[in-house]
Amino acid sequence: MQPCVLALLLLALFCSRAPALYFHIGELEKKCFIEEIPDETMIIGNYRTQLYDKQKEEYLPASPGLGMFVEVKDPDEKVILSRQYGSEGRFTFTSHTPGEHQICLHSNSSKFSLFVGGTLRVHLDIQVGEHANNYAEIAAKDKLTELQLRVRQLVEQVDQIQKEQNYQRYREERFRQTSESTNQRVLWWSIVQTLILVAIGIWQMRHLKSFFEAKKLV
Amino acid sequence: MTPVRRFLCAWLVSLPLAWDSCGVQAAFSQAMDSDFTLNLPAGRKECFYQTMKRDASMEIEYQVLDGAGLDVDFSIFSPSGQLLFNDQRKSDGVHTVETEDGDYMFCFDNTFSTVSDKLVFFELILDNMDTDEDPENWKEYVHGIDTLDMKLEDIMDTINNVKARLSKSVQIQTLLRAFEARDRNIQESNFERVNFWSVVNLVVMVMVSGVQVYLVRSLFEDKKKIRT
C-alpha cells in the first residue's frame, strides 16, 4: 500500500493548490487577518508566495530563501504562534479561548535585491474548524466506506455549528450586559445631574445672599 | 499487489478529488467559501484577487464591523480591468458576478477617512468551480454490494442534501456573527462615549458654578469702593 499512500499525499498536496484568494504585500508590510472563533477550534492556514520577475514580466514561484513570518495572537494579545516558514507553508493552531484571534503575515526578506518589483504575491487560504479536517486522511486511516465518511462529515459539521452557537450565546450575553450597563449609567447620570444642578443653585443663592448681607447691600 | 487491492488503492487515490478539503465537490456542485476579517487603516486601500474559471459564479458579501461612520468604498474589477461594481461609502453590500477566466480584483478603500481605521469583514462564495473535474469517475472502481446499490443511492442523496443545507447554515451563521460583531462594536463605543461625556459634563458644571460665584463677588467688591 506504500505507493498508494504516497499517491494520496501527492494528491493532497495538489489539492492544496485549489484557486485561493491572493493579495500583494510590500517588503516591510505586515498584513493581519482577524478570525473570531469559539474555543477548541483548529485553524489551518495555507499560503504560497510568488515573486514578480521583471524580465519575464510575470509572477514566478519565489526562491526558498524568501520566507514568511507568521504570528498568531489570541484574544488576550498573547502570542500563541510565532514562526517562520518557507516560501510555501502551512501553519496550524488550536484556539483555547473563544474570541478574536489575529493572524499576521510579513516577509522575512532582508535581501533587497530579491524584492526589485516591490511586491510579493501571497496566496492565502484559511480553513476553520470542520473545514480543516483532511477527510481523505481520515478515510484512509479508519478505513471508512463512502457512506461512513459522509456521515462522519455531517457529524463534524453539526458539532461545529453547535460550538459556534454556544459561543454566540456567550457573546450575546456580554453584549446584553454592556447595553444594560450603558442604559443604567445614562439614567443614573441624568438623575445625579439634576440633583447637582439644584444643589449648586441653592448653594449659589445662599452664598451670594450672605455675601451681600455682609457687604451691607441688602 | 492483488487486483482487489489495486482497485481499492485507485479508489482511495481518487477520493481526494471528491472531498471538500480540496474545495472540489462530488455528485453536486456546491459552493466553496472563505471569509476574512481585516483592519483597514485610515487612508489605505486594500485589494484582493481571486482566480476564476468561466461559467462559475462568485458572490462577495462585505460588512464594516467597526470604525467611525462604519462605511467603506468597495469596487470590483474584471480580469480585463473593467469596473463591474462600485459602492461609495456603504456599510454593507452583496454582489454576485458570473465569471470568465481570469483574475478578478476587489478593493476596499478607506482613503476618504483621515483618522479612523475600519474593521471590514468579507465573505467569498464560489460556485461551479469544478468544471474540469469529473467527480463521478471513481464510482467505477466500487465493486460488490450490487444489491444494495439502489437503496444506497437514495441514502447518499439524502445525506448529500443534508450536507448542502448544513453548509448553508454555516454560511448564515458566519453572516449573523458579523452582524452581531458590528452591533456589539456600536454598543461598546456608545458606552465609552456616555462615560466620557458624563465626566466632562460634571467638570464643566462645577467649573461654571465656581466662575459664576467669583464673577458676581468681584463685581460687588469694586462697587463697595465706589460707594465710600
Side-chain angles (χ1 to χ4, degrees), chain A residues 1, chain B residues 1-11 141:
Chain A
M1 278 293 191
Chain B
M1 239 201 275
T2 64
V4 173
R5 270 199 162 181
R6 201 168 283 164
F7 278 133
L8 271 175
C9 183
W11 181 54
Y141 293 104

Side-chain angles (χ1 to χ4, degrees), chain A residues 33-39 43 71-80 93 95-103 164 167 170-171 174, chain B residues 37-39 65-66 119-121 177-178 180-185 188:
Chain A
F33 294 94
I34 298 169
E35 288 291 334
E36 189 167 11
I37 44 178
D39 58 346
I43 292 206
E71 193 182 44
V72 178
K73 288 201 187 128
D74 77 350
D76 306 318
E77 300 286 324
K78 200 178 64 160
V79 177
I80 55 178
F93 68 93
S95 62
H96 298 293
T97 39
E100 287 185 354
H101 291 70
Q102 200 179 48
I103 301 169
E164 183 81 42
Y167 178 44
Y170 153 79
R171 275 204 313 267
R174 253 191 46 202
Chain B
T37 312
L38 76 152
N39 190 38
L65 302 182
D66 198 6
L119 191 68
V120 178
F121 158 86
R177 186 182 62 208
E180 193 267 341
R182 186 193 54 187
D183 290 342
R184 189 168 19 113
N185 288 329
E188 278 178 9

Side-chain angles (χ1 to χ4, degrees), chain B residues 129-167:
Chain B
M129 280 293 283
D130 55 350
T131 44
D132 58 347
E133 305 278 332
D134 184 9
E136 304 288 311
N137 63 0
W138 55 264
K139 280 193 176 166
E140 294 171 21
Y141 293 104
V142 181
H143 281 253
I145 336 177
D146 279 315
T147 50
L148 283 177
D149 258 357
M150 291 310 288
K151 284 192 183 168
L152 199 67
E153 270 175 26
D154 284 340
I155 296 176
M156 279 305 297
D157 280 341
T158 315
I159 289 188
N160 285 336
N161 209 344
V162 173
K163 182 148 202 336
R165 285 175 207 273
L166 281 179
S167 296

Side-chain angles (χ1 to χ4, degrees), chain A residues 36-61:
Chain A
E36 189 167 11
I37 44 178
D39 58 346
E40 308 307 325
T41 305
M42 182 162 78
I43 292 206
I44 295 183
N46 289 302
Y47 74 86
R48 182 161 67 97
T49 53
Q50 284 178 325
L51 197 54
Y52 189 65
D53 189 328
K54 269 213 167 140
Q55 287 149 347
K56 296 188 190 164
E57 288 194 356
E58 62 169 291
Y59 279 88
L60 298 175

Side-chain angles (χ1 to χ4, degrees), chain A residues 99-175:
Chain A
E100 287 185 354
H101 291 70
Q102 200 179 48
I103 301 169
C104 289
L105 298 162
H106 64 268
S107 78
N108 70 337
S109 155
S110 53
K111 305 171 201 162
F112 293 95
S113 57
L114 285 173
F115 249 100
V116 172
T119 57
L120 191 68
R121 181 179 283 188
V122 180
H123 297 251
L124 183 66
D125 178 37
I126 297 179
Q127 289 158 338
V128 178
E130 181 264 336
H131 289 295
N133 286 340
N134 188 351
Y135 287 106
E137 225 177 87
I138 295 173
K141 195 177 65 141
D142 295 343
K143 295 189 182 40
L144 300 172
T145 63
E146 193 201 343
L147 198 62
Q148 285 174 323
L149 190 67
R150 268 298 191 215
V151 171
R152 175 80 68 93
Q153 265 186 322
L154 286 178
V155 167
E156 302 264 351
Q157 213 172 17
V158 171
D159 262 342
Q160 180 73 20
I161 291 179
Q162 191 183 30
K163 235 197 287 189
E164 183 81 42
Q165 261 189 331
N166 283 341
Y167 178 44
Q168 171 74 6
R169 217 184 299 162
Y170 153 79
R171 275 204 313 267
E172 197 266 336
E173 192 184 318
R174 253 191 46 202
F175 180 17

Side-chain angles (χ1 to χ4, degrees), chain B residues 10-68:
Chain B
W11 181 54
L12 269 176
V13 161
S14 325
L15 257 182
L17 286 172
W19 294 135
D20 294 358
S21 55
C22 302
V24 177
Q25 310 296 319
F28 54 90
S29 48
Q30 203 182 347
M32 221 169 78
D33 57 355
S34 54
D35 59 276
F36 292 94
T37 312
L38 76 152
N39 190 38
L40 199 57
R44 282 286 300 265
K45 181 177 175 175
E46 295 279 352
C47 291
F48 294 89
Y49 306 80
Q50 172 70 43
T51 312
M52 298 296 297
K53 296 199 167 30
R54 66 174 24 248
D55 295 335
S57 83
M58 170 170 82
E59 183 182 333
I60 174 162
E61 176 142 17
Y62 67 93
Q63 242 192 54
V64 185
L65 302 182
D66 198 6

